[in-house]
Amino acid sequence: MLRHARRAFSSTQSPRVAVVGSGPGGFYTAKYLLRDSKDVQVTILDRWPTPFGLVRYGVAPDHPEVKSVQDDFEEVATNERFSYAGHVFVGHPADAPDHSGPVVPLNDLMNLYDAVVVATGCDLPRSLDLPGAELDGVINARAFVGWYNAEPTFSGLELPEVTDQLRSVIIGHGNVALDCARVLAAPSTHLDATDIHEAAFEALQRLPSKRTINVVGRRGATQAAFTTKECRELTELEGATLVIDPAELEAGDTDASKEEGKARPLKRKRKFLDQVA
């Protein structure tokens, strides 16, 4: 989202652009602004002291190859026309009650820069409009992923006490859902070489070794948002078994799904799922 500042500026001045948010959206915005304009100056502001947003706090710890995009961002940060201001909250002070750093209203920021790009992404979790959604043991994936990646907002999250058998349900079947399933199912040997947050690693190891994790989606395999690669990783976990019910696959085979499933990537994914089933 681009917001133009109210103040005018001379064509002889170097334009100054503020980018709110240091995740992929923010850094790619900065990268191409700096590339395509030889005099623009770009400042990225973020509420966390450390940059990279979703790459740092949203990618599963056992997917280091995805995090390698940080190398590109670090190169952007070496540009002499780039600057970074961390621990700065942009927004209304009432929305930042626990933020100990500077709080800058968006209107003030627009008065300081020639243009402001808001690249904060979706920061609010979606809530389940179902009875019982507020009960203990119901955890939003936004919080769970942030917890095992050490995002400060979710450092206080605690897993439910389970002594005999972990039985969990993950609602949704995109790649984040499979990330959560894999982290819950993974043995310590799979995670101890990753950059998972130490407190999360220890809490996961305290869970009982017997674990049943159900991934539930509202539609069939054709419409499932996960990739074949992400699903295949569940079959490669030591001591874990991926179970797919053939009847569940067939239940989603409507005429529309069969037509949609003719696309090559979906055919490959369905072939893999049929082999597992």
Side-chain angles (χ1 to χ4, degrees):
M1 178 169 61
L2 173 66
R3 293 181 181 266
H4 290 285
R6 296 191 184 93
R7 69 184 182 89
F9 60 96
S10 168
S11 60
T12 61
Q13 294 176 328
S14 296
R16 300 171 65 245
V17 178
V19 179
V20 184
S22 68
F27 261 94
Y28 280 121
T29 297
K31 175 181 178 178
Y32 292 111
L33 281 172
L34 293 167
R35 186 196 68 179
D36 295 339
S37 174
K38 301 307 179 185
D39 60 349
V40 68
Q41 298 187 36
V42 179
T43 299
I44 286 184
L45 304 97
D46 198 282
R47 60 176 174 163
W48 303 129
T50 51
F52 306 145
L54 191 64
V55 176
R56 181 184 294 272
Y57 297 121
V59 176
D62 58 346
H63 281 177
E65 71 284 356
V66 180
K67 299 185 180 186
S68 64
V69 71
Q70 292 180 174
D71 297 338
D72 195 21
F73 299 161
E74 288 173 356
E75 183 176 349
V76 173
T78 63
N79 191 302
E80 61 182 8
R81 292 179 287 121
F82 174 90
S83 59
Y84 177 77
H87 208 212
V88 177
F89 184 91
V90 177
H92 195 281
D95 294 329
D98 300 325
H99 187 77
S100 58
V103 177
V104 182
L106 183 58
N107 286 344
D108 290 358
L109 197 66
M110 292 169 65
N111 287 326
L112 294 171
Y113 289 85
D114 301 309
V116 175
V117 180
V118 180
T120 54
C122 181
D123 196 43
L124 298 177
R126 294 184 64 180
S127 58
L128 275 179
D129 187 18
L130 292 173
E134 75 290 348
L135 295 175
D136 291 340
V138 180
I139 302 172
N140 191 280
R142 172 83 174 82
F144 185 64
V145 172
W147 171 73
Y148 64 63
N149 279 326
E151 184 176 342
T153 306
F154 306 109
S155 60
L157 186 146
E158 294 184 4
L159 297 185
E161 290 292 334
V162 184
T163 56
D164 181 29
Q165 177 184 358
L166 174 69
R167 294 176 296 178
S168 58
V169 176
I170 297 172
I171 301 176
H173 48 26
N175 279 347
V176 173
L178 298 198
D179 283 344
C180 294
R182 195 175 62 256
V183 168
L184 282 172
S188 60
T189 53
H190 180 79
L191 294 173
D192 59 9
T194 70
D195 63 354
I196 188 171
H197 184 39
E198 183 177 354
F201 177 79
E202 293 175 353
L204 289 167
Q205 301 318 304
R206 289 195 295 269
L207 293 174
S209 58
K210 190 175 182 181
R211 308 175 189 181
T212 302
I213 301 152
N214 299 279
V215 179
V216 178
R218 61 179 172 152
R219 295 192 291 175
T222 302
Q223 294 82 21
F226 61 78
T227 61
T228 305
K229 174 182 178 294
E230 197 87 14
C231 191
R232 182 179 288 110
E233 290 180 353
L234 292 174
T235 68
E236 299 168 351
L237 286 177
E238 181 183 350
T241 302
L242 175 62
V243 178
I244 299 176
D245 185 347
E248 291 285 348
L249 290 177
E250 294 174 7
D253 286 339
T254 63
D255 291 340
S257 292
K258 291 177 181 178
E259 185 63 29
E260 186 179 347
K262 291 179 180 179
R264 184 175 297 178
L266 294 178
K267 288 175 68 175
R268 286 199 300 265
K269 181 163 69 173
R270 179 55 186 264
K271 180 180 179 180
F272 171 77
L273 296 176
D274 282 334
Q275 289 172 342
V276 174

